Amino acid sequence: MRKLFAMILTGALVASFLVTSTASAASRIPQIGVLSGHFNYGPICPVITIPPSCDDGPALRAVYRSHEIKIWLLVPNQEPKLVRTARFNYFGNYFAILPAGNYKLDLWPNPWGTTDCDPEIRCDHVGSSNVPANVSITGGQITRFDINVDTGIR
């Protein structure tokens, strides 16, 4: 009986230690979130021709390969700090794993040739409705942000 009691007591102490150490370790781990989205770019071919004048697939893939998303961490009373660059995949999708916080996103290079943009000043994104933009990343969640660029081709 003593042996059984000693085993139960040992098991309870080990379980208590594991729960306590796991909880304290979890409080030290930064909260991580995911930023993901799609690059909507177009039209690339004139849309008012019948039949359509070109296959935009290869052109879109070239655009995806030549652009990236710059991600700056925003901290009150500090200059924005570039912390990550996300690339687009073959289909125009991207993702970045980031600590919880506030960030500024921008498409780089600017599709209209302006590459000397200050992250705090809106660059000349003619036709783009949503970059640069601020996003908040929450730990344990996926934040979706799609970039939309209207080329103006009709």
Side-chain angles (χ1 to χ4, degrees), residues 74-113:
L74 299 177
V75 178
N77 303 317
Q78 294 183 16
E79 291 293 317
K81 178 182 177 186
L82 182 64
V83 293
R84 183 80 33 96
T85 299
R87 303 287 306 186
F88 297 101
N89 69 11
Y90 186 81
F91 302 103
N93 301 313
Y94 75 94
F95 79 96
I97 298 171
L98 298 163
N102 295 313
Y103 297 88
K104 180 175 283 279
L105 310 178
D106 203 356
L107 184 62
W108 213 263
N110 175 325
W112 297 274

Short mmCIF file of all heavy atoms in Angstrom, two decimals, residues 74-113:
data_model
loop_
_atom_site.label_atom_id
_atom_site.label_comp_id
_atom_site.label_asym_id
_atom_site.label_seq_id
_atom_site.Cartn_x
_atom_site.Cartn_y
_atom_site.Cartn_z
N LEU A 74 5.82 48.52 -36.73
CA LEU A 74 5.47 49.85 -36.22
C LEU A 74 5.45 49.81 -34.70
O LEU A 74 4.69 49.05 -34.10
CB LEU A 74 4.10 50.28 -36.74
CG LEU A 74 3.98 50.42 -38.26
CD1 LEU A 74 2.54 50.77 -38.64
CD2 LEU A 74 4.95 51.45 -38.80
N VAL A 75 6.32 50.59 -34.09
CA VAL A 75 6.38 50.70 -32.64
C VAL A 75 6.20 52.18 -32.30
O VAL A 75 6.88 53.03 -32.90
CB VAL A 75 7.73 50.19 -32.09
CG1 VAL A 75 7.81 50.36 -30.59
CG2 VAL A 75 7.94 48.73 -32.48
N PRO A 76 5.31 52.51 -31.37
CA PRO A 76 5.09 53.92 -31.02
C PRO A 76 6.40 54.62 -30.64
O PRO A 76 7.25 54.05 -29.97
CB PRO A 76 4.14 53.86 -29.82
CG PRO A 76 3.44 52.54 -29.97
CD PRO A 76 4.46 51.61 -30.58
N ASN A 77 6.55 55.84 -31.12
CA ASN A 77 7.71 56.69 -30.83
C ASN A 77 9.02 56.15 -31.36
O ASN A 77 10.09 56.49 -30.85
CB ASN A 77 7.82 56.95 -29.31
CG ASN A 77 6.57 57.57 -28.75
OD1 ASN A 77 5.99 58.47 -29.36
ND2 ASN A 77 6.12 57.07 -27.62
N GLN A 78 8.96 55.27 -32.36
CA GLN A 78 10.17 54.76 -33.00
C GLN A 78 9.98 54.79 -34.51
O GLN A 78 8.86 54.77 -35.01
CB GLN A 78 10.47 53.32 -32.57
CG GLN A 78 10.84 53.16 -31.13
CD GLN A 78 11.18 51.72 -30.80
OE1 GLN A 78 11.44 50.90 -31.67
NE2 GLN A 78 11.17 51.41 -29.51
N GLU A 79 11.09 54.82 -35.22
CA GLU A 79 11.04 54.74 -36.68
C GLU A 79 10.58 53.35 -37.09
O GLU A 79 10.92 52.37 -36.42
CB GLU A 79 12.43 55.00 -37.26
CG GLU A 79 12.91 56.43 -37.10
CD GLU A 79 12.09 57.41 -37.94
OE1 GLU A 79 11.78 57.10 -39.10
OE2 GLU A 79 11.75 58.48 -37.40
N PRO A 80 9.80 53.23 -38.18
CA PRO A 80 9.43 51.89 -38.67
C PRO A 80 10.69 51.09 -38.98
O PRO A 80 11.67 51.63 -39.49
CB PRO A 80 8.63 52.18 -39.94
CG PRO A 80 8.16 53.58 -39.79
CD PRO A 80 9.22 54.29 -38.99
N LYS A 81 10.65 49.81 -38.67
CA LYS A 81 11.82 48.94 -38.88
C LYS A 81 11.44 47.83 -39.85
O LYS A 81 10.50 47.06 -39.61
CB LYS A 81 12.27 48.35 -37.55
CG LYS A 81 13.45 47.41 -37.69
CD LYS A 81 13.82 46.80 -36.36
CE LYS A 81 14.95 45.81 -36.56
NZ LYS A 81 15.25 45.10 -35.32
N LEU A 82 12.18 47.75 -40.96
CA LEU A 82 11.95 46.67 -41.93
C LEU A 82 12.30 45.35 -41.28
O LEU A 82 13.45 45.15 -40.85
CB LEU A 82 12.78 46.89 -43.19
CG LEU A 82 12.59 45.86 -44.30
CD1 LEU A 82 11.16 45.89 -44.85
CD2 LEU A 82 13.59 46.10 -45.42
N VAL A 83 11.32 44.45 -41.18
CA VAL A 83 11.54 43.18 -40.50
C VAL A 83 11.39 41.96 -41.40
O VAL A 83 11.87 40.88 -41.07
CB VAL A 83 10.60 43.01 -39.28
CG1 VAL A 83 10.95 44.02 -38.20
CG2 VAL A 83 9.14 43.11 -39.67
N ARG A 84 10.72 42.12 -42.53
CA ARG A 84 10.50 40.95 -43.37
C ARG A 84 10.21 41.38 -44.79
O ARG A 84 9.65 42.44 -45.03
CB ARG A 84 9.30 40.17 -42.83
CG ARG A 84 8.91 38.89 -43.48
CD ARG A 84 9.75 37.67 -43.08
NE ARG A 84 10.25 37.68 -41.73
CZ ARG A 84 9.70 37.09 -40.67
NH1 ARG A 84 8.59 36.42 -40.79
NH2 ARG A 84 10.26 37.15 -39.49
N THR A 85 10.57 40.53 -45.72
CA THR A 85 10.20 40.68 -47.11
C THR A 85 9.51 39.39 -47.53
O THR A 85 10.06 38.31 -47.32
CB THR A 85 11.45 40.92 -47.99
OG1 THR A 85 12.08 42.13 -47.54
CG2 THR A 85 11.07 41.09 -49.44
N ALA A 86 8.32 39.50 -48.06
CA ALA A 86 7.56 38.32 -48.50
C ALA A 86 7.53 38.29 -50.02
O ALA A 86 7.32 39.31 -50.67
CB ALA A 86 6.14 38.35 -47.94
N ARG A 87 7.74 37.12 -50.58
CA ARG A 87 7.72 36.92 -52.03
C ARG A 87 6.40 36.25 -52.43
O ARG A 87 5.79 35.54 -51.64
CB ARG A 87 8.89 36.04 -52.48
CG ARG A 87 10.27 36.54 -52.10
CD ARG A 87 10.72 37.71 -52.87
NE ARG A 87 10.65 37.45 -54.30
CZ ARG A 87 11.10 38.25 -55.23
NH1 ARG A 87 11.66 39.38 -54.90
NH2 ARG A 87 10.99 37.97 -56.50
N PHE A 88 6.00 36.49 -53.66
CA PHE A 88 4.78 35.88 -54.19
C PHE A 88 5.13 34.53 -54.82
O PHE A 88 6.18 34.38 -55.45
CB PHE A 88 4.15 36.78 -55.26
CG PHE A 88 3.70 38.10 -54.72
CD1 PHE A 88 4.47 39.24 -54.90
CD2 PHE A 88 2.53 38.21 -53.98
CE1 PHE A 88 4.08 40.46 -54.39
CE2 PHE A 88 2.14 39.42 -53.46
CZ PHE A 88 2.91 40.55 -53.66
N ASN A 89 4.24 33.57 -54.69
CA ASN A 89 4.46 32.29 -55.35
C ASN A 89 3.95 32.35 -56.79
O ASN A 89 3.53 33.41 -57.28
CB ASN A 89 3.83 31.13 -54.56
CG ASN A 89 2.30 31.15 -54.57
OD1 ASN A 89 1.66 31.89 -55.33
ND2 ASN A 89 1.71 30.33 -53.73
N TYR A 90 3.98 31.24 -57.46
CA TYR A 90 3.59 31.11 -58.87
C TYR A 90 2.18 31.62 -59.14
O TYR A 90 1.87 32.08 -60.23
CB TYR A 90 3.72 29.63 -59.24
CG TYR A 90 3.50 29.29 -60.68
CD1 TYR A 90 4.53 29.46 -61.62
CD2 TYR A 90 2.29 28.78 -61.12
CE1 TYR A 90 4.35 29.12 -62.94
CE2 TYR A 90 2.10 28.45 -62.45
CZ TYR A 90 3.13 28.63 -63.36
OH TYR A 90 2.94 28.30 -64.67
N PHE A 91 1.32 31.54 -58.13
CA PHE A 91 -0.08 31.92 -58.30
C PHE A 91 -0.40 33.31 -57.73
O PHE A 91 -1.56 33.72 -57.69
CB PHE A 91 -0.99 30.88 -57.64
CG PHE A 91 -0.77 29.51 -58.19
CD1 PHE A 91 -0.05 28.57 -57.47
CD2 PHE A 91 -1.24 29.16 -59.44
CE1 PHE A 91 0.17 27.31 -57.97
CE2 PHE A 91 -1.02 27.89 -59.96
CZ PHE A 91 -0.31 26.96 -59.23
N GLY A 92 0.61 34.02 -57.24
CA GLY A 92 0.40 35.36 -56.71
C GLY A 92 0.04 35.40 -55.24
O GLY A 92 -0.36 36.44 -54.73
N ASN A 93 0.21 34.29 -54.53
CA ASN A 93 -0.08 34.25 -53.10
C ASN A 93 1.20 34.47 -52.30
O ASN A 93 2.29 34.21 -52.79
CB ASN A 93 -0.70 32.91 -52.73
CG ASN A 93 -1.98 32.66 -53.49
OD1 ASN A 93 -2.84 33.52 -53.57
ND2 ASN A 93 -2.12 31.48 -54.07
N TYR A 94 1.05 34.94 -51.08
CA TYR A 94 2.19 35.13 -50.20
C TYR A 94 1.79 34.83 -48.76
O TYR A 94 0.61 34.76 -48.43
CB TYR A 94 2.71 36.58 -50.27
CG TYR A 94 1.83 37.57 -49.56
CD1 TYR A 94 2.10 37.93 -48.24
CD2 TYR A 94 0.71 38.13 -50.17
CE1 TYR A 94 1.28 38.82 -47.56
CE2 TYR A 94 -0.10 39.02 -49.50
CZ TYR A 94 0.19 39.36 -48.20
OH TYR A 94 -0.63 40.23 -47.53
N PHE A 95 2.79 34.63 -47.91
CA PHE A 95 2.54 34.55 -46.48
C PHE A 95 3.81 34.92 -45.73
O PHE A 95 4.92 34.84 -46.27
CB PHE A 95 2.03 33.16 -46.05
CG PHE A 95 3.11 32.13 -45.92
CD1 PHE A 95 3.68 31.87 -44.69
CD2 PHE A 95 3.56 31.44 -47.03
CE1 PHE A 95 4.69 30.93 -44.57
CE2 PHE A 95 4.55 30.49 -46.91
CZ PHE A 95 5.12 30.24 -45.68
N ALA A 96 3.64 35.35 -44.50
CA ALA A 96 4.76 35.66 -43.62
C ALA A 96 4.34 35.31 -42.20
O ALA A 96 3.21 35.59 -41.79
CB ALA A 96 5.13 37.13 -43.71
N ILE A 97 5.24 34.70 -41.47
CA ILE A 97 5.01 34.40 -40.06
C ILE A 97 5.64 35.54 -39.26
O ILE A 97 6.82 35.84 -39.43
CB ILE A 97 5.63 33.04 -39.69
CG1 ILE A 97 4.96 31.94 -40.52
CG2 ILE A 97 5.50 32.77 -38.20
CD1 ILE A 97 5.62 30.59 -40.43
N LEU A 98 4.83 36.18 -38.42
CA LEU A 98 5.26 37.39 -37.72
C LEU A 98 4.83 37.35 -36.25
O LEU A 98 3.77 36.81 -35.93
CB LEU A 98 4.62 38.62 -38.36
CG LEU A 98 4.97 38.91 -39.82
CD1 LEU A 98 3.97 39.88 -40.41
CD2 LEU A 98 6.38 39.44 -39.91
N PRO A 99 5.63 37.96 -35.38
CA PRO A 99 5.16 38.14 -34.00
C PRO A 99 3.95 39.07 -33.99
O PRO A 99 3.81 39.94 -34.86
CB PRO A 99 6.35 38.81 -33.30
CG PRO A 99 7.53 38.53 -34.16
CD PRO A 99 7.00 38.42 -35.56
N ALA A 100 3.08 38.89 -33.02
CA ALA A 100 1.91 39.77 -32.89
C ALA A 100 2.38 41.21 -32.80
O ALA A 100 3.39 41.52 -32.17
CB ALA A 100 1.10 39.38 -31.66
N GLY A 101 1.68 42.10 -33.50
CA GLY A 101 2.05 43.51 -33.48
C GLY A 101 1.43 44.26 -34.64
O GLY A 101 0.62 43.72 -35.39
N ASN A 102 1.84 45.50 -34.80
CA ASN A 102 1.34 46.36 -35.87
C ASN A 102 2.42 46.55 -36.92
O ASN A 102 3.58 46.79 -36.58
CB ASN A 102 0.91 47.71 -35.31
CG ASN A 102 -0.26 47.55 -34.37
OD1 ASN A 102 -1.23 46.88 -34.67
ND2 ASN A 102 -0.17 48.17 -33.20
N TYR A 103 2.01 46.47 -38.18
CA TYR A 103 2.96 46.50 -39.29
C TYR A 103 2.45 47.41 -40.40
O TYR A 103 1.25 47.61 -40.55
CB TYR A 103 3.17 45.09 -39.86
CG TYR A 103 3.78 44.15 -38.85
CD1 TYR A 103 2.98 43.42 -37.97
CD2 TYR A 103 5.15 43.98 -38.78
CE1 TYR A 103 3.54 42.56 -37.05
CE2 TYR A 103 5.73 43.12 -37.86
CZ TYR A 103 4.91 42.41 -37.00
OH TYR A 103 5.47 41.57 -36.08
N LYS A 104 3.39 47.90 -41.20
CA LYS A 104 3.06 48.63 -42.42
C LYS A 104 3.54 47.77 -43.58
O LYS A 104 4.66 47.24 -43.56
CB LYS A 104 3.75 49.98 -42.47
CG LYS A 104 3.42 50.75 -43.76
CD LYS A 104 4.02 52.13 -43.76
CE LYS A 104 3.25 53.06 -42.90
NZ LYS A 104 2.06 53.67 -43.39
N LEU A 105 2.68 47.59 -44.59
CA LEU A 105 3.01 46.79 -45.78
C LEU A 105 3.09 47.69 -46.99
O LEU A 105 2.33 48.65 -47.09
CB LEU A 105 1.92 45.75 -46.06
CG LEU A 105 1.44 44.87 -44.93
CD1 LEU A 105 0.33 43.96 -45.43
CD2 LEU A 105 2.58 44.08 -44.38
N ASP A 106 3.98 47.33 -47.92
CA ASP A 106 4.01 48.04 -49.19
C ASP A 106 4.52 47.10 -50.26
O ASP A 106 5.32 46.21 -50.00
CB ASP A 106 4.88 49.28 -49.12
CG ASP A 106 4.51 50.31 -50.18
OD1 ASP A 106 3.63 50.03 -51.02
OD2 ASP A 106 5.10 51.39 -50.19
N LEU A 107 4.03 47.31 -51.46
CA LEU A 107 4.46 46.56 -52.63
C LEU A 107 5.77 47.15 -53.12
O LEU A 107 5.91 48.36 -53.21
CB LEU A 107 3.38 46.66 -53.72
CG LEU A 107 3.60 45.86 -54.98
CD1 LEU A 107 3.64 44.38 -54.69
CD2 LEU A 107 2.48 46.17 -55.96
N TRP A 108 6.73 46.29 -53.44
CA TRP A 108 8.05 46.76 -53.84
C TRP A 108 8.55 45.97 -55.02
O TRP A 108 8.44 44.75 -54.99
CB TRP A 108 9.02 46.59 -52.67
CG TRP A 108 10.06 47.64 -52.64
CD1 TRP A 108 11.32 47.54 -53.13
CD2 TRP A 108 9.95 48.93 -52.09
NE1 TRP A 108 11.99 48.69 -52.91
CE2 TRP A 108 11.17 49.57 -52.27
CE3 TRP A 108 8.93 49.63 -51.47
CZ2 TRP A 108 11.42 50.85 -51.85
CZ3 TRP A 108 9.17 50.90 -51.04
CH2 TRP A 108 10.39 51.51 -51.23
N PRO A 109 9.11 46.49 -56.07
CA PRO A 109 9.10 47.93 -56.30
C PRO A 109 7.70 48.38 -56.70
O PRO A 109 6.88 47.59 -57.14
CB PRO A 109 10.08 48.11 -57.46
CG PRO A 109 10.02 46.84 -58.21
CD PRO A 109 9.77 45.77 -57.17
N ASN A 110 7.50 49.64 -56.56
CA ASN A 110 6.24 50.24 -56.96
C ASN A 110 6.05 49.94 -58.46
O ASN A 110 6.95 50.16 -59.25
CB ASN A 110 6.35 51.75 -56.70
CG ASN A 110 5.15 52.51 -57.18
OD1 ASN A 110 4.54 52.19 -58.20
ND2 ASN A 110 4.82 53.54 -56.46
N PRO A 111 4.89 49.41 -58.86
CA PRO A 111 4.67 49.07 -60.27
C PRO A 111 4.83 50.24 -61.23
O PRO A 111 4.97 50.05 -62.43
CB PRO A 111 3.24 48.55 -60.30
CG PRO A 111 2.92 48.18 -58.91
CD PRO A 111 3.75 49.07 -58.03
N TRP A 112 4.82 51.45 -60.70
CA TRP A 112 4.93 52.63 -61.57
C TRP A 112 6.33 53.22 -61.57
O TRP A 112 6.54 54.34 -61.97
CB TRP A 112 3.88 53.65 -61.18
CG TRP A 112 2.54 53.04 -61.41
CD1 TRP A 112 1.84 53.03 -62.57
CD2 TRP A 112 1.79 52.26 -60.50
NE1 TRP A 112 0.68 52.31 -62.43
CE2 TRP A 112 0.63 51.82 -61.16
CE3 TRP A 112 1.97 51.88 -59.18
CZ2 TRP A 112 -0.34 51.03 -60.56
CZ3 TRP A 112 1.01 51.09 -58.57
CH2 TRP A 112 -0.13 50.68 -59.27
N GLY A 113 7.31 52.46 -61.05
CA GLY A 113 8.70 52.86 -61.16
C GLY A 113 9.26 53.67 -60.02
O GLY A 113 10.44 53.96 -59.99
#
